């Protein structure tokens, strides 16, 4: 297994933790120069905050804590492709790469929720420099969404 896949797997684990806490299945982590510097999971329900997406939390953290060079060298690993809100924050924070487990369009087909605009399209329209890679673990990431949907 590659380091990149291990990191996406960690993001998927964070999405499971979100579900166990009563939230929807999304998790992400931020890596700078090979070191995990921050992790987050979705807390939209438990915080009663519709913007408490892990990718947005990490982009906000990066904007506060990283200089432009470190942000450009960073990679965000996400269980699911970042939504347009989070994608925009990623561009604004100057995060260099995003690697995600399952495409937003695939999750949209299952749930009917969300805004179905790919992260790469948001980056393109914003004239961003973020490289977007994925999906890289579609089956594993999607399994968490399916289990959450089927839970009582």
């Amino acid at each position: 297994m590659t380091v990149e896949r291990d990191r996406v797997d960690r993001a998927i684990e964070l999405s499971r933790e979100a579900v166990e806490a009563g939230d929807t299945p999304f998790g992400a982590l931020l890596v700078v120069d090979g070191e995990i510097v921050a992790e987050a999971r979705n807390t939209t329900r438990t915080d009663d905050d519709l913007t408490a997406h892990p990718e947005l939390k990490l982009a906000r953290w990066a904007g506060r804590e990283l200089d432009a060079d470190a942000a450009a060298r960073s990679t965000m690993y996400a269980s699911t492709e970042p939504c347009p809100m989070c994608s925009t924050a990623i561009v604004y924070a100057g995060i260099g790469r995003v690697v995600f487990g399952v495409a937003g369009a695939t999750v949209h087909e299952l749930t009917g929720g969300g805004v179905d605009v790919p992260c790469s399209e948001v980056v393109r329209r914003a004239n961003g420099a973020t490289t977007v890679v994925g999906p890289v673990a579609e089956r594993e990431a999607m399994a968490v969404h399916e289990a959450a949907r089927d839970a009582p």
Side-chain angles (χ1 to χ4, degrees):
M1 206 170 278
T2 68
V3 170
E4 289 221 326
R5 178 56 193 269
D6 287 345
R7 292 191 171 138
V8 170
D9 286 346
R10 174 62 184 146
I12 294 168
E13 184 178 321
L14 289 164
S15 76
R16 282 190 199 96
E17 291 175 14
V19 172
E20 290 167 7
D23 289 295
T24 53
F26 299 90
L29 55 114
L30 192 64
V31 173
V32 179
D33 298 332
E35 179 183 340
I36 297 171
V37 295
E39 294 183 338
R41 62 177 176 78
N42 185 288
T43 56
T44 55
R45 292 178 181 161
T46 54
D47 286 351
D48 195 24
D49 178 357
L50 59 90
T51 68
H53 297 195
E55 304 88 352
L56 182 60
K57 291 178 189 181
L58 293 178
R60 290 176 65 196
W61 182 90
R64 287 188 309 267
E65 302 296 327
L66 301 178
D67 64 29
D69 289 337
R73 295 190 315 271
S74 70
T75 300
M76 183 182 294
Y77 295 90
S79 61
T80 304
E81 183 175 16
C83 73
M85 173 183 70
C86 295
S87 299
T88 301
I90 288 164
V91 170
Y92 289 167
I95 293 171
R97 291 179 71 232
V98 172
V99 180
F100 63 86
V102 62
T106 304
V107 174
H108 181 74
E109 288 175 20
L110 174 74
T111 66
V115 178
D116 189 16
V117 177
C119 181
S120 60
E121 178 66 9
V122 173
V123 171
R124 184 189 69 75
R125 288 185 183 195
N127 293 316
T130 306
T131 300
V132 181
V133 178
V136 299
E138 200 155 30
R139 184 172 35 94
E140 296 84 348
M142 197 61 190
V144 183
H145 287 280
E146 290 167 346
R149 177 201 61 188
D150 297 338

